[in-house]
Amino acid sequence: LTIRKDSDQQPLAGQYQCKTPGLSGKYFCGYGQMTFGWKSLIRGLAGLLFTLWLGSIVIFIISKNVKVDKVEKQLALEGINPESTQDYQKLYQKKYYQLQENLPLFYFEILPSNHCPNKRQFANYSIRKSIEDAEQAGYDCSALSDTSQLVDVKLLEKVNFSYPVFKWLGFNNQYHVYLSSLLSGNWGVSARDGVSVRTKIAGALKWTLSIIGINLILALVISILLAIGLWKNKIAWLDKIILSVLHALYSVPGFWLATLVLIFFTGPQYGMPIFYTPLYMGSSGESWSLFLGKIAPVVFCLTLQDVALLTRLIRSKLDLVFKETFMAVLISRGSSENTLIIKHALPNALLPLVTLLFNSLPASIAGSLVFEVVFNIPGMGRLLSDSIHAADWSVVYGICLMTLCITVMVYAIGDVVYRRVDPRIR
């Protein structure tokens, strides 16, 4: 609450002028208007960009520590293997340089003084292994450069003491190439079928976002109506039974709930074929009715669990709001029960849900994995599971990066929305 004396300044936007007993002159009172701060905006954008950059580094490090030969996988995708050609080593070395695997990993390295900088410059694994053995034996390999010969330790000097050395490797490194490719929209290709990673993720994201969006709307509407109904009726035994049932539903593991729905509601053997069988796969040009029918069991499972949580939360918040002093004042003025609930109690009760919903939205993308696998939905979860089983790491890293971007954007939007709906933190 702002109380400011009338002066040459203009009154706060949206405020009313009032005369306050005991104070001389005119004062303006009321809530102040939220101002637009360029510094806070810049800090927020800098924080988001730093998070994305740090996340890209983590994903890159993980990708380079997976024991998979990227060159060998690419050659196999092209139908080239050691049994099919006698020039496999030459083709391997050519592809090794084409994929820029010879570049250093990062902009710099901190290595012992006797170690060879950027051992990846050697395309032959045997040479890299011999250099590592020489380094472990204490020989000075710091001056070695690209060669096609195995390292002869007799030609190297042995050092008794090595110390950490910072070595700048320049901008021509694998992470810089990786980051440039991401910014340009080139996320690589799948090792299974050669399809662009962006294309595969975009197709899967359509299913997952549709499921999450419909689930969010249904869960909110059902939870609000159910919570208001429970509060208005005030039947203690019914309230306790329904809340206990909702608690039990929320406690059921997702895979078990999906299995029960799969058994009882997707086939004629139990006489309740409510949903499409998960073995049904339509064409790419299927109608919206078929599309909604296929995602219906997943939406049903997610909504059932979300309603169990949100109803209990809204119901308890309504009780707390009606115990506030301002609600007692409104009741004494003769406000109707519906007016109290819709205009005053419900908006205050829904404030904590803003943070909850925006925090749970990114988790829903990963949480839908179980339901998408059980019901054979080609969404992000199913794509992630299939890619891990097939060791298609380019797609896995692309999904991780997409999830990171969605998480950062959702948190940023949630912060803005929460500031708009709750004037107390403006």
Side-chain angles (χ1 to χ4, degrees), residues 27 34 36 42 46 59 73 95 136 182 192 207 212 215 223 260 277 287 290 299 306 342-343 371 380 412:
Y27 289 78
M34 182 175 64
F36 183 81
I42 293 174
I59 295 174
K73 292 279 289 186
K95 182 62 67 174
Q136 295 296 327
L182 292 181
R192 288 193 296 173
W207 292 86
I212 294 175
N215 161 58
S223 300
L260 292 177
T277 172
S287 64
L290 292 177
V299 173
D306 288 345
I342 297 174
K343 291 187 176 181
F371 299 109
M380 291 277 284

Side-chain angles (χ1 to χ4, degrees), residues 132-148:
E132 291 177 358
D133 293 340
E135 290 172 345
Q136 295 296 327
Y139 290 94
D140 186 10
C141 304
S142 58
L144 292 178
S145 59
D146 190 6
T147 176
S148 59

